[in-house]
Amino acid sequence: MKILGIETSCDETGIAIYDDKHGLIANQLYSQIKLHADYGGVVPELASRDHIRKTVPLIQAALKEANLRASDIDGVAYTAGPGLIGALMVGASIGRSLAYAWGVPAIAVHHMEGHLLAPMLEDNPPEFPFVALLVSGGHTQLIKVTGVGQYQLLGESIDDAAGEAFDKTAKLLGLDYPGGAKLSKLAELGDATRFRFSRPMTDRPGLDFSFSGLKTAAANTIHQQSCGQDLDDQTRADIAKAFEDALVDTLLIKSRRALDQTGFNRLVIAGGVSANKTLRRQLAELMAQRKGQVYYPRLEFCTDNGAMIAYAGMIHLKASQFVDLAIEVKPRWPLSELNSK
Ligand code: KG4
Ligand code: ZN
């Protein structure tokens, strides 16, 4: 069974083909980062227009890569939300139309479920149950996962998502959008002892996060240190280091709490921020101490991609979960809504 996956929820056009016998057999990605760079963030209208230009050629490229014809595809999965409405509409319209034309089922995939299942594409996939830490540009969530479609939200950010906090702080430090990975690289040169930011909401019980204060702490430090002049490179690196340490530490403290609360010893991290090296290293150490296991996708599948959508589509198709002819997208879509299926 071969599933075509289409991801267009934000600024990446991701197209992939997943085969239940041979695994991932095609993976194509086009990133719009350069298109949005001048604006310091994603411009929704430009994103939609670029997805229109790229989606069909990338589908053709994926079929060629896998040496398949359209008639070999058994289902078309597309991201139906959450995300930018125009961008979602492009993938959904093309995906639904192709499925209709090819006479195969169409599967509407939840973007965060795609991220959550991305570690299943690796050689040593996690077994259920596990705690998932989903950290992306739009979400920071801890989820108790007892099976496919069995998702209980344990905690989430009450303001900025982890990736959003990375990007905003990176911008304050003069780094281009999306600045998460660039800030992390800068932090490698930083002195961890020079500045210290508090770990938000760790002094009280609960599993929610708040990261907007961390960005403000970084902004205040930049202001104090700059005195109206440009910051020197070492100070920028030291602030980046203090920010990254505080954010990663907070994710670590809350993940530990979620593991204690559920009694699980498997932790999955996914979403763009799971590409962060410090986070990966520290969570690996945490799980080694607990004699548990941490799972994350390979770096290219931490950020948005079509492979995770094709994989999630395959799982849903096997469970006979597909959509009718209506093209529906949901810019906001709580993951827990999937449980009722
Ligand atoms: O999952 P994703 O590709 O898109 C969304 O669904 O939001 O996540 C993108 C986010 C951006 O905020 C980006 O700065 C962040 O992931 N990111 C990182 C790193 N790589 C990507 N943040 C910190 N460290 C990284 N290495
Ligand atoms: Zn994403």
Side-chain angles (χ1 to χ4, degrees):
M1 196 189 262
K2 296 172 187 65
I3 304 295
L4 175 72
I6 303 175
E7 157 61 37
T8 64
S9 68
C10 191
D11 58 351
E12 254 110 25
T13 316
I15 307 291
I17 302 172
Y18 189 87
D19 180 335
D20 63 347
K21 287 204 190 68
H22 302 106
L24 193 65
I25 52 174
N27 185 45
Q28 300 282 328
L29 186 79
Y30 178 82
S31 171
Q32 302 178 354
I33 283 178
K34 283 203 190 90
L35 180 70
H36 303 289
D38 288 347
Y39 304 92
V42 178
V43 183
E45 182 59 27
L46 293 183
S48 313
R49 290 179 191 205
D50 206 51
H51 285 308
I52 291 174
R53 280 191 285 270
K54 298 293 173 357
T55 304
V56 170
L58 286 181
I59 292 171
Q60 288 167 328
L63 287 169
K64 198 168 170 209
E65 183 187 345
N67 206 11
L68 296 177
R69 280 182 299 203
S71 55
D72 297 318
I73 297 295
D74 300 292
V76 181
Y78 57 83
T79 303
L84 302 170
I85 189 160
L88 290 167
M89 277 306 290
V90 176
S93 307
I94 294 175
R96 189 67 199 86
S97 308
L98 284 179
Y100 178 72
W102 295 346
V104 297
I107 309 116
V109 173
H110 191 294
H111 181 78
M112 298 312 289
E113 186 182 38
H115 275 305
L116 195 152
L117 296 176
M120 302 289 183
L121 292 161
E122 303 307 321
D123 287 341
N124 175 26
E127 281 172 34
F128 298 109
F130 54 77
V131 169
L133 173 65
L134 295 184
V135 272
S136 71
H139 292 79
T140 303
Q141 297 181 324
L142 276 164
I143 297 164
K144 178 178 173 181
V145 182
T146 44
V148 173
Q150 301 300 313
Y151 310 125
Q152 187 193 332
L153 184 67
L154 300 172
E156 65 183 333
S157 179
I158 58 169
D159 44 51
D160 291 354
E164 191 179 353
F166 260 105
D167 294 341
K168 286 179 175 172
T169 305
K171 197 171 180 177
L172 294 171
L173 289 167
L175 301 168
D176 288 342
Y177 182 87
K182 295 178 191 102
L183 185 151
S184 184
K185 197 142 188 37
L186 182 62
E188 283 173 16
L189 307 169
D191 171 358
T193 60
R194 180 151 170 223
F195 303 108
R196 186 185 157 85
F197 301 145
S198 61
R199 280 55 177 151
M201 289 180 74
T202 53
D203 56 349
R204 64 192 95 162
L207 293 169
D208 284 340
F209 304 88
S210 166
F211 291 121
S212 69
L214 208 48
K215 172 201 66 201
T216 309
N220 290 340
T221 310
I222 291 169
H223 185 68
Q224 280 159 13
Q225 295 293 319
S226 62
C227 305
Q229 302 197 327
D230 283 351
L231 284 182
D232 62 273
D233 287 349
Q234 189 58 50
T235 303
R236 288 170 66 242
D238 295 344
I239 295 171
K241 178 73 183 148
F243 170 84
E244 184 179 60
D245 280 355
L247 195 141
V248 166
D249 221 17
T250 306
L251 294 175
L252 190 96
I253 292 166
K254 297 283 166 124
S255 299
R256 190 192 296 135
R257 261 186 217 172
L259 292 162
D260 287 343
Q261 188 175 313
T262 54
F264 297 169
N265 68 353
R266 279 186 285 266
L267 178 69
V268 161
I269 50 168
V273 182
S274 66
N276 185 275
K277 280 191 212 150
T278 310
L279 178 65
R280 287 166 91 102
R281 193 182 56 242
Q282 295 212 10
L283 288 177
E285 280 167 18
L286 169 76
M287 295 316 287
Q289 279 164 16
R290 299 176 72 103
K291 306 217 177 334
Q293 186 73 37
V294 64
Y295 301 85
Y296 23 60
R298 74 193 80 163
L299 283 177
E300 65 174 316
F301 294 157
C302 286
T303 43
D304 292 348
N305 63 86
M308 66 186 193
I309 303 304
Y311 180 82
M314 161 74 63
I315 299 287
H316 286 290
L317 186 57
K318 286 194 169 174
S320 301
Q321 292 164 344
F322 33 81
V323 293
D324 59 23
L325 285 176
I327 298 173
E328 196 191 354
V329 296
K330 298 180 186 173
R332 291 180 173 276
W333 188 4
L335 193 58
S336 54
E337 272 184 22
L338 300 182
N339 291 355
S340 50
K341 277 189 183 169

